[in-house]
């Protein structure tokens, strides 16, 4: 059980208020406000696992879960005692049952292997009943039963309506005219004592025979039930009594249905409260960006960039602090208002949150231990009631802590030994810390005492930490530096706050030379640390930049290699496709010659078979490695070249007029390559040309291909059209054509625009124009080559 004083000091109740605001039901809110941290690690882990599943369901799976049910403790207790519930109580229980059905359905609708703990809990929700549907069909509101609740109730209410109508019709004959019109006070039918009456002027009350039920405050009006409707009123009253009896019967039957399922409904109620609590923890955990801490029972604490949940999340400085793994005692030093107290409170409150099944606001990988107790002495414990001074109050708490602390406890001591003589206070602080250290108690202490800092430096199993401050301005940064101590800087801070300089100087002179030397060493160490840290930070930034640059280069190299592999694959594939086209052409030729055979041309058939065989034996050798030597000099048509971008060799078959591009033949495939990407070479193992070969196969880029002075690109898309146009213009230039005709069609003029945009930039084009009448008009562009 966690010490009650600890819960108050660490403001644990404030955390519970925030968590409870995420609960829907009053019972869940009340339970959360009284939540106590668990000291059993298995139970703590189970609670955190439930919070994790609830968070996953709400925020990862986006499954909506609401717990909008009411408090039904009183109603369930009454029904179990045999009492009949009213409409409001029945509707609350119906709502509870309905919410249970919806919640269970939503939880069980998640994937089979997900949320095992929540599914196990939800199985206790009772859904095999129609009690909620029956109640909702019988009750219209918190005060009204539906006429459809029973056939008898429906008949009674119909009779009541009929009887009311008859009574009103009879009374209207009194007030709307006839012999009684002059004695009526108002033309109004009203009710007194649940009986219909008419208002008669008091001086004429003897004119109307009937029963007097009431008189107005002024005495001027007497309310009389005419004798003619007494029987009708009696009949109406009897029907109203019957109605009440039937309603009571319906409510009693519904109450008995609830009592029949009493234990199942109670279990559903308790289960929904538990789930509401779990999802409230998850909602709060998400709001503070909490994480599931790594739990351990060994007293190991390693909070990474933890944030106190009660401080402004946009202003709080994250704190990293560790304890229990390499050392059991931690001494935190530093100036006042520097954040020492917040730091030890942070450790305490995050520990309590984790032990309550709530995620902690820190970074993933943070460690929290489950302790048997958390003992604190933080803040001013002065007690007027018990006539205790600040020091006495602190000392009483220290006595309780030293008497009860064990190796499974966490102890947090703020300004240990303060409030008395500094020499004695320091000695007492050292003695207490030494005692707790020897008992292996996980302890965090804050102090200004130089003696305690010196003890921490020398003692085993004790680590130091200091609150960071600016060594020049002495302003706190609220950062905790593990492994470093910090000066209190009291005199410097006093000076900055406006204390007279002569007073500050006088105070400095009163401090011993040894103490001044100690403080100067700390300040000097802090300045050196900052300079070293700045250099390290800059080195780290340079390293990150270098790593990012290296990563970019690696990515670029990978992209180039990928493009190269794809291009090589495309080249080989293109070559095979070209060869396939010519094989098909040979097949067509054979079929044509066969037709001639039928006419007796056997020689033609023989030549066709020879042609087909030669084409089938053609081989694509685009990837064959060739041995070569580099050769200096200008690249000319017919030269062998090495293509740097493709790691291939080939033969130049054409060069563009400006010399920037060459058409290179690689095996059976030709491609236009930039001249700068070519290296003139002498190939040593170049295959010899087959002298007997009598079939010439031409490919795109081979300028010996027979072309005319017109290119038709009608129906092509823009990419196809420009590709063919570019290839055609180079071939036309090689043929020394002066003017060519590009047929692109009229249409909407889109293809014409792409063609003319390309012609503007093409180095081969001198000028161009649209076709004249008889040349094709706007469906043709006439191009003059340089």
């Amino acid at each position: 059980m966690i010490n009650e004083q600890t819960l108050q000091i660490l403001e644990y109740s404030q955390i519970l208020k925030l968590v409870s605001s995420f609960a829907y039901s009053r019972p869940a809110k009340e339970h959360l406000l009284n939540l106590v941290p668990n000291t059993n690690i298995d139970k703590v882990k189970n609670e955190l696992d439930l919070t994790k599943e609830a968070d996953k369901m709400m925020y990862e799976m986006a499954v909506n879960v609401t717990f909008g049910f009411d408090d039904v403790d009183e109603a369930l207790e009454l029904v179990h005692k045999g009492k009949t519930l009213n409409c409001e109580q029945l509707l609350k229980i119906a709502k509870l049952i309905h919410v249970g059905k919806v919640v269970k359905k939503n939880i069980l609708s998640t994937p089979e292997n997900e949320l095992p703990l929540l599914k196990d809990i939800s199985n206790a929700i009772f859904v095999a009943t129609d009690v909620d549907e029956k109640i909702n069909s019988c009750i219209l509101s918190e005060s009204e039963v539906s006429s459809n609740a029973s056939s008898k109730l429906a008949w009674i209410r119909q009779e009541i309506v009929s009887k009311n109508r008859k009574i009103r019709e009879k009374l209207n004959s009194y007030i709307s005219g006839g012999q009684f019109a002059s004695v009526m006070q108002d033309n109004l039918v009203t009710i007194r004592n649940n009986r219909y009456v008419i208002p008669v002027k008091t001086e004429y009350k003897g004119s109307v025979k009937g029963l007097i039920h009431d008189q107005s405050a002024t005495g001027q009006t007497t309310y009389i039930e005419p004798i003619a409707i007494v029987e009708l009123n009696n009949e109406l009253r009897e029907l109203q009594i019957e109605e009440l009896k039937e309603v009571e019967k319906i409510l009693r039957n519904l109450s008995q249905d609830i009592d029949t399922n009493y234990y199942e409904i109670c279990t559903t109620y308790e289960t929904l409260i538990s789930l509401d609590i779990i999802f409230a923890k998850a909602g709060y955990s998400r709001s503070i960006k909490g994480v599931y801490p790594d739990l351990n029972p060994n007293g190991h604490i390693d909070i990474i960039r933890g944030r106190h949940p009660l401080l402004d999340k946009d202003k709080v400085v994250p704190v990293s602090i560790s304890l229990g793994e390499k050392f059991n005692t931690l001494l935190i030093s530093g100036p006042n208002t520097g954040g020492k107290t917040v730091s030890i409170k942070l450790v305490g409150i995050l520990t309590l949150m984790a032990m309550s099944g709530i995620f902690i606001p820190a970074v993933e990988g943070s460690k929290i231990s489950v302790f048997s107790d958390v003992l604190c002495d933080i803040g001013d414990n002065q007690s007027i009631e018990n006539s205790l001074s600040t020091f006495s109050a602190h000392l009483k708490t220290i006595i309780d802590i030293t008497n009860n602390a064990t190796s499974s406890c966490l102890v947090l001591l703020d300004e240990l030994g303060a409030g008395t003589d500094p020499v004695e206070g320091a000695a007492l602080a050292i003695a207490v810390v030494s005692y707790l250290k020897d008992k292996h108690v996980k302890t965090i202490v804050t102090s200004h005492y130089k003696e305690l800092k010196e003890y921490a430096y020398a003692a085993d199993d004790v680590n130091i930490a200091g609150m960071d401050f600016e060594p020049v301005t002495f302003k706190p940064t609220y950062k905790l530096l593990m492994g470093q101590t910090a000066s209190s800087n009291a005199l410097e801070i006093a000076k900055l706050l406006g204390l007279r300089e002569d007073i500050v100087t006088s105070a400095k002179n009163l401090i011993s030379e040894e103490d001044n030397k100690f403080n100067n060493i700390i300040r000097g160490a802090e300045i050196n640390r900052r300079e070293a840290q700045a250099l390290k930070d800059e080195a780290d930034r340079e390293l990150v930049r270098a790593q990012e640059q290296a990563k970019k280069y690696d990515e670029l190299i990978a992209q180039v290699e990928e493009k190269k592999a794809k291009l090589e694959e495309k080249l080989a594939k293109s070559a095979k496709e070209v060869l396939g086209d010519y094989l098909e052409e040979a097949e067509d030729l054979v079929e044509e010659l066969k037709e001639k055979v039928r006419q007796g041309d056997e020689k033609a058939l023989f030549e066709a078979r020879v042609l087909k065989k030669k084409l089938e034996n053609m081989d694509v050798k685009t990837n064959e490695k060739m041995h070569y030597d580099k050769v200096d000099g200008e690249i000319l048509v017919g030269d062998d070249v090495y293509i740097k971008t493709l790691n291939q060799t080939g033969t130049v078959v054409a060069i563009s007029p400006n010399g920037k591009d060459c058409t290179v033949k690689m095996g059976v495939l030709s491609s236009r390559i930039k001249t700068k990407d070519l290296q003139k070479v002498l190939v040593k193992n170049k295959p010899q040309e087959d002298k007997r070969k009598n079939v010439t196969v031409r490919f795109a880029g081979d300028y010996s291909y027979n072309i005319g002075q017109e290119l038709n690109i009608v129906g092509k898309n823009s990419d196809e059209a420009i590709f063919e146009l570019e290839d055609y213009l180079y071939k036309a230039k090689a043929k020394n054509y002066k003017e060519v005709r590009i047929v692109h069609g009229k249409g909407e003029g889109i293809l014409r625009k792409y063609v003319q945009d390309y012609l503007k930039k093409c180095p081969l084009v001198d000028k161009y124009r649209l076709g004249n009448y008889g040349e094709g008009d706007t469906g043709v562009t006439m191009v003059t080559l340089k």
Side-chain angles (χ1 to χ4, degrees), residues 68-304:
F69 59 90
D70 300 302
D71 183 0
V72 296
D73 287 311
E74 182 183 356
L76 288 173
E77 184 178 353
L78 288 173
V79 81
H80 197 49
K81 292 179 179 179
K83 304 293 184 180
T84 299
L85 303 182
N86 59 34
C87 294
E88 181 182 0
Q89 292 168 328
L90 287 167
L91 285 175
K92 285 182 178 180
I93 291 180
K95 187 177 182 181
L96 171 75
I97 297 171
H98 175 71
V99 169
K101 289 179 178 180
V102 173
V103 168
K104 184 172 184 176
K105 179 182 177 182
N106 287 344
I107 292 176
L108 296 182
S109 68
T110 57
E112 183 177 353
N113 297 324
E114 300 285 354
L115 316 181
L117 297 177
L118 287 178
K119 287 179 179 177
D120 186 56
I121 291 176
S122 67
N123 284 330
I125 297 175
F126 181 60
V127 297
T129 178
D130 60 352
V131 173
D132 57 323
E133 297 171 5
K134 191 174 180 181
I135 291 173
N136 288 324
S137 67
C138 291
I139 300 177
L140 296 177
S141 68
E142 295 179 352
S143 60
E144 185 180 2
V145 174
S146 171
S147 297
N148 296 323
S150 74
S151 57
K152 184 176 181 180
L153 182 61
W155 176 84
I156 292 172
R157 287 182 173 174
Q158 287 176 357
E159 288 297 307
I160 289 174
V161 171
S162 176
K163 201 66 67 176
N164 273 310
R165 186 173 61 252
K166 288 181 181 179
I167 293 172
R168 285 184 172 277
E169 289 174 353
K170 191 73 173 176
L171 291 177
N172 283 334
S173 67
Y174 280 85
I175 63 177
S176 61
Q179 58 177 331
F180 298 107
S182 60
V183 303
M184 293 294 110
Q185 188 69 271
D186 292 303
N187 295 330
L188 181 67
V189 174
T190 187
I191 294 176
R192 289 292 186 274
N193 300 323
N194 292 321
R195 311 280 287 189
Y196 278 102
V197 295
I198 56 175
V200 179
K201 295 176 182 178
T202 300
E203 62 267 30
Y204 297 113
K205 62 183 179 181
S207 302
V208 179
K209 293 182 180 181
L211 303 176
I212 297 175
H213 284 275
D214 199 4
Q215 196 173 57
S216 68
T218 62
Q220 296 180 2
T221 305
T222 300
Y223 295 98
I224 299 174
E225 178 184 359
I227 198 70
I229 66 162
V230 169
E231 186 60 30
L232 288 173
N233 265 333
N234 289 341
E235 293 173 359
L236 177 60
R237 186 58 186 156
E238 289 175 359
L239 287 170
Q240 290 172 340
I241 293 171
E242 285 297 313
E243 180 188 22
L244 290 174
K245 288 181 179 179
E246 184 62 20
V247 166
E248 179 69 17
K249 179 182 176 182
I250 292 168
L251 296 179
R252 185 169 60 253
N253 290 338
L254 292 174
S255 299
Q256 288 174 351
D257 288 342
I258 292 172
D259 190 39
T260 301
N261 300 286
Y262 171 77
Y263 293 105
E264 290 84 355
I265 294 174
C266 285
T267 301
T268 296
Y269 183 43
E270 293 168 359
T271 302
L272 288 177
I273 293 173
S274 297
L275 288 171
D276 195 5
I277 291 168
I278 292 167
F279 279 86
K281 290 179 184 180
Y284 173 71
S285 297
R286 175 66 63 150
S287 74
I288 60 172
K289 298 181 180 178
V291 300
Y292 189 135
D294 294 342
L295 285 182
N296 70 85
N298 307 316
H300 297 170
I301 295 174
D302 186 14
I303 297 170
I304 307 171

Side-chain angles (χ1 to χ4, degrees), residues 302 363 377 521 777:
D302 186 14
V363 172
D377 180 38
I521 289 173
D777 297 327

Side-chain angles (χ1 to χ4, degrees), residues 2-26:
I2 300 298
N3 184 281
E4 182 63 33
Q5 184 179 358
T6 294
L7 300 179
Q8 294 177 6
I9 291 173
L10 296 178
E11 300 177 277
Y12 178 67
S13 62
Q14 296 301 314
I15 299 295
L16 297 184
K17 283 182 182 179
L18 295 172
V19 178
S20 67
S21 68
F22 285 83
Y24 286 86
S25 64
R26 185 201 59 77

